[in-house]
Amino acid sequence: MFPTLNGKNLLDCYEEDLKILLENPDYRENEFLDYKVIFSFLEAPKGSEQREKCLLEFRSDVCSFANAEGGYLLYGISDDKGMAKELIGIDIPNSDTDRFELDRKNNLASIFPKIPPLKFHFVPLSNGKYIVILFVAHDSFTPYIHLGKQSDYKIYKRAGNNKSYIGYVELKNMFNQSLALDKEILNYRNERVSFYQSQEDTEDFRYTKFMLLHIIPDTFFDSTHNKYMLALEKKQKVDLFSIFKEYVNNTLSIPNVDGLRFIGGYQAAECLLNNNGIAECFYPLNACLNSGDPQYPNGFFASTYVWDKIQLTIENYIKKASYIVDTQRLFVCISIIGCKNVVTEHKIGTYHVGKIDRNTVLCHPVAFENIFDPLTNQVDMKHLKIEYCLALGIKTSDTLNSLLEEMYPHA
């Protein structure tokens, strides 16, 4: 069980709270807690063998917590046989904690399959230094490994007050758990599609022809990462409505058992923001199929109009992501239902007519690998747009051609 001080999470503690740790056997190092006097690699000369050795130790410490149940690394605290002894602190140049945090994350960039979910907390001390608390979370992407030489690696997990190697059977189970994420996402999407299809339909075929946009954090089926969206909205005054403003125009949210619901929008759209971080946009399509043209008896899909809403909603979610999720990795899924044989493209002067070829289109999930990196987001958004165009049967559009040339120049 994760330790608390004065009823607080360690990431909410101040200097006075941390003094409780000192010479207190209840807070001896264990599977959730590790004390470090310094970041040892910062004391070694750059480029030296000693520095690289210390960096490997830092990465293995982080991996060991991520591969177990998660836990806290507290830097700037000395210990005696695992029991905290003194709040010494860490020197942070110019007190620039943001830069210090970014540099430490860069030090962890060689961890695979990605950097584990991390949270930093800097506790200022009266001596002008800081206690640096690094929380490492467990998630579904275990096992985590850091690579020095590709041919020589070890995988660690936290065990008691130390770290140990992971054996073959446990390692195999971890990989199976990672593979299960794709299945969980597919099951969730199918469940939501079935939910809307089971609703009593309306004259405008609201529940027959619709699109679902899902933004899914990689921690969504681990309830320890849940946030209370109503508390974020009311107590922290986080403007969550702005995520969905492309679909709904009513700024009032409706609480439900899963999180918040937003309705009263364009073409009877509905949006959800669940406590597990999943955002869902239900968007009836009949009004934007332009079915009045006799040339297109099944309608013409307004692909650019629909895409613009998708892109802006993803961007709006990312702006609020630091409040909503504990991870930097999201999956974006687009599902289009009931639009078989709807035309999506018709190039004049050619024989090609783009059409949606099935009634249930589940675009392949696209991973946004680091939502806090704008350049990475741009690349991932382009991959998503390619998936979107291909799902709609679009082949010859200038936009798609440009994207394919940019993303796959040597294909």
Side-chain angles (χ1 to χ4, degrees), residues 156-199:
Y156 298 90
K157 71 171 182 178
R158 191 71 177 177
N161 64 347
N162 213 322
K163 56 181 179 284
S164 64
Y165 299 120
I166 294 176
Y168 171 78
V169 173
E170 190 173 0
L171 184 62
K172 181 180 178 182
N173 289 338
M174 286 182 173
F175 278 117
N176 287 340
Q177 184 183 17
S178 295
L179 292 172
L181 182 60
D182 284 343
K183 184 177 180 180
E184 292 286 345
I185 291 174
L186 178 60
N187 289 343
Y188 179 82
R189 295 174 71 187
N190 285 333
E191 176 188 328
R192 298 306 296 163
V193 169
S194 296
F195 168 79
Y196 286 106
Q197 288 179 321
S198 69
Q199 304 302 302

Side-chain angles (χ1 to χ4, degrees), residues 209 286 288-302 340-350 352-355:
K209 300 178 180 181
N286 201 50
C288 65
L289 290 181
N290 302 325
S291 55
D293 190 334
Q295 186 179 358
Y296 308 114
N298 295 306
F300 190 100
F301 193 91
K340 183 177 180 179
N341 291 326
V342 172
V343 174
T344 57
E345 155 189 74
H346 187 181
K347 279 282 189 179
I348 297 175
T350 73
H352 177 75
V353 177
K355 290 182 180 180

Side-chain angles (χ1 to χ4, degrees), residues 342-410:
V342 172
V343 174
T344 57
E345 155 189 74
H346 187 181
K347 279 282 189 179
I348 297 175
T350 73
Y351 292 105
H352 177 75
V353 177
K355 290 182 180 180
I356 299 175
D357 68 350
R358 64 200 72 182
N359 265 325
T360 300
V361 177
L362 302 181
C363 296
H364 192 275
V366 171
F368 281 58
E369 296 290 351
N370 184 356
I371 56 175
F372 302 112
D373 180 355
L375 293 179
T376 302
N377 286 340
Q378 289 177 19
V379 173
D380 294 334
M381 191 73 76
K382 290 172 183 176
H383 281 300
L384 180 65
K385 189 167 187 179
I386 291 172
E387 288 288 335
Y388 172 78
C389 289
L390 296 179
L392 296 179
I394 294 173
K395 179 181 180 182
T396 60
S397 77
D398 294 337
T399 299
L400 178 60
N401 292 341
S402 177
L403 283 171
L404 291 173
E405 181 61 33
E406 180 181 355
M407 303 304 292
Y408 306 101
H410 303 299

